[in-house]
Amino acid sequence: MSAAPVWSVDPRTGNPREQVAVEATAEEVDRAVRAAHAVRDALADRAARAAFLRAAAELLEESGAHIVEAADAETALGPARLTGELARTAAQLRSFAEVVDEGAYLDVHIDHQDGSRTPPWPDLRRYKIPLGVVAVYAASNFPLAFSVPGGDTASALAAGCPVVVKAHPDHPATSELCASVLRRAAARTGLPEDVVTLVHGFDAGVELIRHPLVSAAGFTGSVRGGRALFDAAAARPAPIPFHGELGSLNPVVVTGAAAAERAGEIGAGLGGSMTLGAGQFCTKPGFVLVPEGATGDQLLKALTETVSSTGSGVLLDHRMRDAFVAGVRERAALPDVVAPVTPGAAGEHTVSAGFLTVPAARLAAKGPHDALLEECFGPVTVIARYTSVDEIAAVLARLPGNLTATLQTATEGDDPDAARLLAALTPLAGRILVNGWPTGVAVAPAQHHGGPYPATTSTSTSVGATAIERWLRPVTYQSTPEALLPPELREDNPLGLPRRVDGRRA
Amino acid sequence: MSAAPVWSVDPRTGNPREQVAVEATAEEVDRAVRAAHAVRDALADRAARAAFLRAAAELLEESGAHIVEAADAETALGPARLTGELARTAAQLRSFAEVVDEGAYLDVHIDHQDGSRTPPWPDLRRYKIPLGVVAVYAASNFPLAFSVPGGDTASALAAGCPVVVKAHPDHPATSELCASVLRRAAARTGLPEDVVTLVHGFDAGVELIRHPLVSAAGFTGSVRGGRALFDAAAARPAPIPFHGELGSLNPVVVTGAAAAERAGEIGAGLGGSMTLGAGQFCTKPGFVLVPEGATGDQLLKALTETVSSTGSGVLLDHRMRDAFVAGVRERAALPDVVAPVTPGAAGEHTVSAGFLTVPAARLAAKGPHDALLEECFGPVTVIARYTSVDEIAAVLARLPGNLTATLQTATEGDDPDAARLLAALTPLAGRILVNGWPTGVAVAPAQHHGGPYPATTSTSTSVGATAIERWLRPVTYQSTPEALLPPELREDNPLGLPRRVDGRRA
């Protein structure tokens, strides 16, 4: 039996572009993981890791035009968006180099011997060490920032973990180019190339999560795929952490006061956010509570104008296009659901954006309308019209976990409902926005890109400095002579690390 | 059908002492969880939580004599040990009050708007919020410090999470007394009593982990029980974090130089540590690599003396006693295994301590001797005699994850093997000791009580200040007006919290 070919496909035509690789066999996955495991000690040096991440950013930028061209050809996301994503990805690699340089992520704690404690303290010194080989499952919708050179890879390498990436089938050519960039960056900084390896194929992804030498995994994708891998990670003889970002509705609540103040601005802003990247952002606002009545109608008018003037778009692949067309058709057929702008198929390879409306009362209890509370990937959003704040609260209580939740409130004067609604949104998501739109995720230390299940399968973030915490575990040395301690834990702090000593910051 | 009775049993006789309670039905578990969920907001106030934890410590001490008496009657751990455990438990409650007061655990990050970033930063403010109702599964072997008023409960309450404790059947009377103390402490500080509830029964424990309003769980116990609950937590429609401490061999390596320097001291120290609490510590040194030859023989001679002079002991219950007797018999029957002091049954209700020896070469590859690499709960340890450092490394590579790993090295002059062996031990455990014994776990910020599976099912600790992290999740507020921000995130820092601003400590 010959190996299964991996084709790069043009979503604008559905035609194969080129054969990029072959799917990895179980033996090849085993070899990749063992090779990664074998070179893990090479990543122990923090300065080398920081240099590697910076070299990767530089080489990514040097190959930028070529990578963007390949990515556009196989994702149809467009050169402008992809050029921006590449810049973001390079900045992300550099930001993790800074995290490594600073060393606060090592979370050094030193407690000196203290016989006065109950029970007495021996000398205890704790920091964090890398978990080992990390499996990264690339996303369809961000071929760079959440794929081969993306946040999971960057944070795992920053932590000192070698990475085996499972490429997404929507952009294998881009994945190969990026893997080559990362491996060249490793070589340029004196590290073994096998600190990053790429594998293709569905079965390879399953092999990877089961491999005994894989210590943790990062995933961005669908609830179905992510849950299957999460289950496999949990079912291992030795379970491993699985940090998956699966799906999110990203609810938005527009208060009466907000609609009265700026219905047009909110409608236009929503239309822009939900159609961005053809509605293929994990942070797309997919469910919006809008007041019944004149101001809500005005909001919908502005939304209608924005969405109607959005050209048809190409989704990442034809399977997604079919799922989108079927998903909006199913939802639009529900009783009392109206489509002021009908989403669905446009040409043979394209889709058009649209939105649905439903009375919020339809969602107050379990029923067929619950389909409207599930993410529908693509350029569609659901507007639930409410008649009271109590009705909003009842609907919010029925929502699953989310990456984001947004409150549109009055910017001038007091909004009587704002505080109550913000309190009702907070349990639902990992990032709460006021008067903004959730698409667009800054790479910053205070960022949190995660949320209650199914938004993520853990309490961690996949964006921002603290994403590094996912790939580390603490270890404490007790009563260990100075000469045997790692330099991070020595009394004179030779590496100048921030630390807590005897319970206080030092 | 009437409710199943819960009996307190005297392990010294096997006789029931008194009926303490009845097992909770599914409806009762549901009611307990809903009651806990309903009062969660009462725990939002940090000052009230700290006061509650301190009141709990005080009331625990006030009822100390009564609690120790009950605990001794149903665990046979002895008043001295239990008095110490009570003091430790009270100190632990107070230490979490300090953690709450300081507020560093909130991990506040503030990034101001910055258009120069790629992509630009909006105003982002992150801190950690409680997950919700926490299920705590009490341990058999620490009726106080790892049970109702123990570290899981204390850290969850400190985080702001209400707790439902599943009592351990080995000490239901103690559990009732302690739950009553905690509920009285809540009432005394103006909090609803339902912030802590106790349930009994195996089925109740299973109901608890499946309850949709339970947000996370802490567990200390066996690999079998812990894995079943871990699997149930992972199989939920919305999986939850399960922080389980399951089992640990706690390997010790004695270098040739250490044995040459102080064979007698090490043998005596080992004998004391492995028989402490009748060998029922999760940190019991259960596997010891000792050199072949004269100095190793001397070590075994000292160990023999110490263990032989240890009186017979009562285990926590008769099921454990039977498992111990069967476990040591099975291991002692393996080829080349010798029992210089035979462990096993003593009287009808008691066991005697002992140890087994085996050539390390027997453990270099998979085989029936692998039983020696599994924890055997009770007063027994396995001594593997080695002939070279390479042989040590080969055996260590075959060990599962552990809470602790210990190196006994020369205290004077250079020990040529120390650095290499410490490096080989570090991947195996969460706490590494040099020239100490692992029994005894200080409650300190730098403590880490956890380790690779099966030691724990997560990368977290169940002892020490950072145990609070298990019950929190981050939430970021983006572009949120000052008036709507929680006080923890306001610009002027009204609560005086330690925080990171624009990536730097402030």
Side-chain angles (χ1 to χ4, degrees):
Chain A
M1 207 177 82
S2 62
V6 174
W7 288 89
S8 171
V9 175
D10 179 353
R12 293 182 175 98
T13 63
N15 293 332
R17 295 173 58 240
E18 55 170 335
Q19 184 186 333
V20 170
V22 293
E23 295 190 356
T25 62
E27 293 68 34
E28 283 159 349
V29 171
D30 179 61
R31 215 176 304 140
V33 174
R34 286 185 191 282
H37 186 72
V39 300
R40 67 195 185 285
D41 287 347
L43 287 173
D45 183 65
R46 274 165 59 224
R49 266 156 38 215
F52 167 35
L53 292 166
R54 291 192 172 101
E58 201 175 311
L59 289 180
L60 196 67
E61 287 168 340
E62 276 177 22
S63 304
H66 191 35
I67 291 171
V68 165
E69 191 187 351
D72 181 50
E74 58 186 2
T75 67
L77 287 170
R81 142 76 195 272
L82 289 164
T83 301
E85 188 178 331
L86 189 127
R88 171 214 178 82
T89 307
Q92 189 163 254
L93 287 159
R94 291 193 178 100
S95 80
F96 279 111
E98 279 175 48
V99 169
V100 174
D101 281 343
E102 195 216 3
Y105 79 93
L106 293 164
D107 202 18
V108 174
H109 285 60
I110 294 178
D111 294 331
H112 292 103
Q113 187 171 0
D114 183 351
S116 74
R117 304 283 182 161
T118 310
W121 290 1
D123 185 274
L124 294 168
R125 292 160 189 260
R126 194 187 92 140
Y127 76 143
K128 291 191 177 177
I129 61 173
L131 281 175
V133 178
V134 167
V136 170
Y137 293 83
S140 62
N141 56 345
F142 280 86
L144 306 171
F146 290 81
S147 289
V148 179
D152 283 349
T153 301
S155 56
L157 291 170
C161 296
V163 171
V164 179
V165 186
K166 192 275 189 183
H168 195 280
D170 280 352
H171 39 73
T174 311
S175 299
E176 285 287 340
L177 288 174
C178 291
S180 152
V181 157
L182 291 171
R183 290 170 67 91
R184 274 190 288 134
R188 181 182 283 192
T189 40
L191 293 173
E193 293 189 332
D194 286 338
V195 294
V196 181
T197 312
L198 184 68
V199 296
H200 298 267
F202 178 88
D203 292 343
V206 177
E207 290 293 334
L208 196 51
I209 200 72
R210 290 183 183 153
H211 197 290
L213 290 178
V214 167
S215 300
F219 171 93
T220 310
S222 69
V223 173
R224 195 170 155 187
R227 183 62 191 251
L229 289 167
F230 170 86
D231 288 346
R236 292 163 51 112
I240 56 172
F242 183 84
H243 300 286
E245 185 207 316
L246 309 194
S248 183
L249 202 56
N250 304 302
V252 178
V253 174
V254 181
T255 68
E261 182 185 87
R262 52 200 165 86
E265 183 189 320
I266 295 170
L270 172 60
S273 181
M274 60 151 281
T275 57
L276 202 68
Q280 298 172 109
F281 277 47
C282 44
T283 51
K284 178 197 75 175
F287 183 76
V288 189
L289 283 147
V290 171
E292 282 284 7
T295 58
D297 292 347
Q298 267 181 280
L299 189 158
L300 261 56
K301 188 161 165 279
L303 176 63
T304 299
E305 281 164 20
T306 305
V307 174
S308 303
S309 66
T310 306
S312 65
V314 176
L315 297 192
L316 289 155
D317 64 43
H318 280 62
R319 194 180 47 77
M320 284 187 197
R321 181 184 170 279
D322 297 346
F324 174 72
V325 171
V328 294
R329 189 185 297 137
E330 180 206 339
R331 287 166 174 80
L334 291 164
D336 284 345
V337 171
V338 176
V341 183
T342 307
E348 188 184 346
H349 305 295
T350 54
V351 297
S352 49
F355 68 95
L356 309 174
T357 68
V358 64
R362 275 284 189 187
L363 302 165
K366 211 174 154 77
H369 286 78
D370 285 3
L372 299 169
L373 305 181
E374 282 170 28
E375 184 181 8
C376 184
F377 198 74
V380 63
T381 195
V382 172
I383 310 291
R385 304 292 300 266
Y386 67 84
T387 56
S388 70
V389 175
D390 285 344
E391 206 173 55
I392 301 176
V395 173
L396 292 182
R398 299 204 59 241
L399 294 187
N402 294 275
L403 292 167
T404 73
T406 299
L407 180 67
Q408 294 289 346
T409 174
T411 57
E412 310 274 329
D414 256 6
D415 189 329
D417 305 320
R420 177 181 169 193
L421 289 170
L422 203 71
L425 288 171
T426 299
L428 293 179
R431 180 163 55 110
I432 311 295
L433 298 94
V434 176
N435 297 338
W437 298 105
T439 40
V441 184
V443 181
Q447 185 57 276
H448 186 71
H449 189 63
Y453 186 88
T456 37
T457 57
S458 71
T459 56
S460 67
T461 180
S462 60
V463 177
T466 54
I468 195 173
E469 295 173 5
R470 298 176 297 168
W471 320 120
L472 299 161
R473 71 172 176 95
V475 63
T476 294
Y477 288 87
Q478 177 170 331
S479 311
T480 301
E482 190 78 1
L484 288 175
L485 280 173
E488 288 85 350
L489 299 180
R490 288 189 193 140
E491 189 62 19
D492 61 350
N493 197 7
L495 306 179
L497 295 170
R499 47 192 206 173
R500 285 179 72 98
V501 178
D502 299 326
R504 314 230 165 282
R505 297 211 284 185
Chain B
M1 205 176 85
S2 62
V6 174
W7 288 90
S8 173
V9 175
D10 179 353
R12 293 181 174 97
T13 62
N15 294 333
R17 296 175 56 242
E18 55 171 336
Q19 183 185 334
V20 171
V22 293
E23 294 191 357
T25 62
E27 292 68 34
E28 283 160 347
V29 170
D30 179 61
R31 212 176 307 141
V33 174
R34 287 185 190 281
H37 186 71
V39 301
R40 68 196 184 284
D41 287 348
L43 287 173
D45 183 66
R46 276 165 58 225
R49 263 147 53 208
F52 168 36
L53 292 166
R54 291 191 173 102
E58 203 174 311
L59 289 180
L60 197 68
E61 287 168 341
E62 277 177 21
S63 304
H66 191 35
I67 292 172
V68 165
E69 189 187 352
D72 181 51
E74 59 186 1
T75 67
L77 286 170
R81 142 75 194 272
L82 289 164
T83 301
E85 188 179 330
L86 189 127
R88 172 215 177 82
T89 306
Q92 188 162 255
L93 287 159
R94 291 192 177 99
S95 80
F96 279 111
E98 278 175 48
V99 168
V100 173
D101 281 342
E102 196 215 4
Y105 79 92
L106 292 164
D107 203 18
V108 175
H109 284 63
I110 294 178
D111 294 331
H112 292 102
Q113 189 171 0
D114 183 350
S116 74
R117 304 285 181 158
T118 308
W121 290 0
D123 186 273
L124 294 169
R125 290 160 191 263
R126 192 188 94 141
Y127 76 143
K128 291 191 176 174
I129 61 174
L131 281 175
V133 179
V134 167
V136 169
Y137 293 84
S140 62
N141 56 345
F142 281 87
L144 306 171
F146 289 81
S147 289
V148 180
D152 284 348
T153 300
S155 57
L157 292 170
C161 296
V163 170
V164 180
V165 186
K166 194 296 206 159
H168 196 280
D170 280 353
H171 38 72
T174 311
S175 299
E176 285 287 340
L177 288 174
C178 290
S180 151
V181 157
L182 291 172
R183 290 171 69 91
R184 273 190 288 134
R188 180 181 286 194
T189 40
L191 293 174
E193 292 189 333
D194 285 340
V195 296
V196 182
T197 313
L198 183 69
V199 296
H200 297 268
F202 179 86
D203 292 342
V206 176
E207 289 295 333
L208 196 53
I209 199 73
R210 291 184 182 151
H211 198 288
L213 291 178
V214 168
S215 301
F219 171 95
T220 309
S222 69
V223 173
R224 196 170 155 186
R227 183 61 191 252
L229 289 167
F230 169 87
D231 289 345
R236 291 163 51 110
I240 55 172
F242 183 84
H243 300 286
E245 187 207 314
L246 311 193
S248 183
L249 202 56
N250 303 303
V252 178
V253 174
V254 181
T255 68
E261 185 185 86
R262 53 201 164 86
E265 182 189 320
I266 295 171
L270 171 61
S273 182
M274 60 150 283
T275 57
L276 203 66
Q280 298 172 109
F281 276 47
C282 44
T283 51
K284 178 195 76 175
F287 183 77
V288 189
L289 283 148
V290 171
E292 282 283 6
T295 59
D297 291 347
Q298 268 181 279
L299 190 158
L300 261 57
K301 187 161 166 282
L303 176 64
T304 299
E305 281 163 21
T306 305
V307 174
S308 305
S309 65
T310 305
S312 63
V314 176
L315 297 192
L316 289 155
D317 63 45
H318 280 63
R319 194 180 47 77
M320 285 187 197
R321 181 184 172 279
D322 296 346
F324 174 73
V325 171
V328 295
R329 188 185 298 136
E330 179 206 343
R331 288 164 174 81
L334 291 164
D336 285 347
V337 171
V338 177
V341 183
T342 305
E348 187 184 349
H349 306 293
T350 54
V351 297
S352 51
F355 69 96
L356 309 175
T357 69
V358 64
R362 275 284 190 188
L363 302 165
K366 211 175 154 74
H369 286 77
D370 285 2
L372 299 170
L373 306 181
E374 282 168 30
E375 184 182 8
C376 184
F377 199 76
V380 62
T381 195
V382 173
I383 310 292
R385 305 291 300 265
Y386 68 84
T387 56
S388 71
V389 176
D390 285 343
E391 207 173 52
I392 300 176
V395 173
L396 292 182
R398 299 204 61 243
L399 293 188
N402 294 276
L403 292 168
T404 73
T406 301
L407 180 68
Q408 294 288 346
T409 174
T411 58
E412 309 274 330
D414 257 5
D415 188 331
D417 305 319
R420 177 183 169 191
L421 289 170
L422 202 70
L425 287 172
T426 299
L428 292 180
R431 180 162 55 112
I432 310 296
L433 298 94
V434 177
N435 296 339
W437 298 105
T439 38
V441 184
V443 181
Q447 185 58 275
H448 186 70
H449 188 64
Y453 187 90
T456 37
T457 58
S458 70
T459 56
S460 65
T461 180
S462 60
V463 177
T466 55
I468 195 173
E469 296 173 5
R470 298 176 294 168
W471 320 119
L472 299 161
R473 72 171 175 95
V475 63
T476 294
Y477 288 86
Q478 177 171 329
S479 311
T480 301
E482 191 79 1
L484 288 175
L485 281 173
E488 289 86 350
L489 299 179
R490 289 192 193 140
E491 190 62 19
D492 62 351
N493 197 8
L495 306 179
L497 295 169
R499 46 194 206 172
R500 285 178 72 96
V501 178
D502 299 327
R504 314 230 166 280
R505 295 211 284 185

